[in-house]
């Protein structure tokens, strides 16, 4: 009689969701090594310097974005890394991408970084979504193979 009650209690006990990363990985950790090319790509965006971006990626990968427009229409675009880097043009505006709740997963020579982000222009939210990077380690060095992100202009704070 007690066993069925215990089994019933076990079935209805709420389980907390797995907590994603809450802070940047400590320097020198394998997760920090995975984040290094991601941070380099963001540095290239901030400086609008495609050569910095290209130094952080594998040339056979690329970038994909799933855009959700304010009117509800959706568009998916894919760019080669060369096209992505060529789109960075000099200008007076300050670009910044902020990640939150970063999750880094590593298995051997592959890794994934997943994080909500907000992209700011001159300190104001321009768009937001989730970034998903997949990385590969070759010859002891991590490089971004691909980045895919969602992009919307609503619900980005401000």
């Amino acid at each position: 009689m007690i066993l069925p009650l215990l089994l019933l209690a076990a079935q209805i006990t709420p389980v907390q969701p797995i907590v994603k990363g809450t802070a940047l990985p400590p320097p020198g950790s394998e997760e920090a090594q995975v984040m290094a090319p991601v941070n380099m790509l963001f540095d290239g965006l901030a400086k609008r310097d495609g050569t910095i971006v290209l130094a952080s990626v594998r040339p056979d990968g690329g970038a994909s974005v799933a855009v959700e427009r304010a009117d509800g229409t959706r568009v998916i675009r894919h760019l080669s890394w060369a096209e992505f880097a060529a789109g960075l043009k000099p200008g007076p505006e300050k670009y910044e991408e902020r990640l939150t709740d970063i999750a880094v997963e590593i298995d051997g020579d592959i890794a994934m970084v997943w994080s909500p982000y907000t992209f700011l222009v001159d300190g104001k939210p321009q768009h937001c979504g989730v970034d998903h990077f997949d990385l590969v380690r070759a010859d002891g060095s991590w490089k971004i193979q691909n980045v895919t992100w969602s992009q919307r202009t609503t619900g980005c704070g401000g």
Side-chain angles (χ1 to χ4, degrees):
M1 179 71 173
I2 293 177
L3 184 57
L5 291 176
L6 290 174
L7 290 175
L8 180 61
Q11 292 173 351
I12 59 172
T13 302
V15 176
Q16 295 296 318
I18 296 172
V19 177
K20 291 184 182 174
T22 57
L24 293 176
S29 70
E30 192 168 12
E31 290 82 2
Q33 292 171 23
V34 167
M35 287 300 298
V38 173
N39 292 331
M40 181 186 291
L41 182 138
F42 289 152
D43 184 47
L45 285 174
K47 294 178 178 172
R48 296 177 173 198
D49 186 338
T51 59
I52 296 173
V53 169
L54 293 175
S56 68
V57 302
R58 292 177 50 92
D60 55 340
S64 298
V65 57
V67 178
E68 180 183 335
R69 295 188 176 132
D71 67 2
T73 59
R74 297 172 184 262
V75 176
I76 296 177
R77 293 186 350 231
H78 179 77
L79 303 163
S80 69
W81 284 123
E83 292 168 324
F84 183 88
L88 297 175
K89 305 288 185 202
E93 303 88 3
K94 179 183 174 195
Y95 288 175
E96 179 185 4
E97 186 150 352
R98 292 184 187 160
L99 301 181
T100 57
D101 299 325
I102 301 166
V104 177
E105 298 290 337
I106 303 167
D107 184 46
D109 290 329
I110 67 168
M112 178 209 61
V113 175
W114 176 280
S115 177
Y117 77 89
T118 302
F119 188 82
L120 301 109
V121 176
D122 292 331
K124 296 179 183 168
Q126 187 73 22
H127 59 81
C128 60
V130 171
D131 282 340
H132 168 237
F133 294 87
D134 67 273
L135 299 95
V136 178
R137 178 172 43 198
D139 301 320
S141 177
W142 288 101
K143 296 284 185 175
I144 300 168
Q145 181 72 41
N146 298 294
V147 62
T148 304
W149 70 96
S150 57
Q151 180 178 314
R152 62 186 162 278
T153 57
T154 58
C156 296

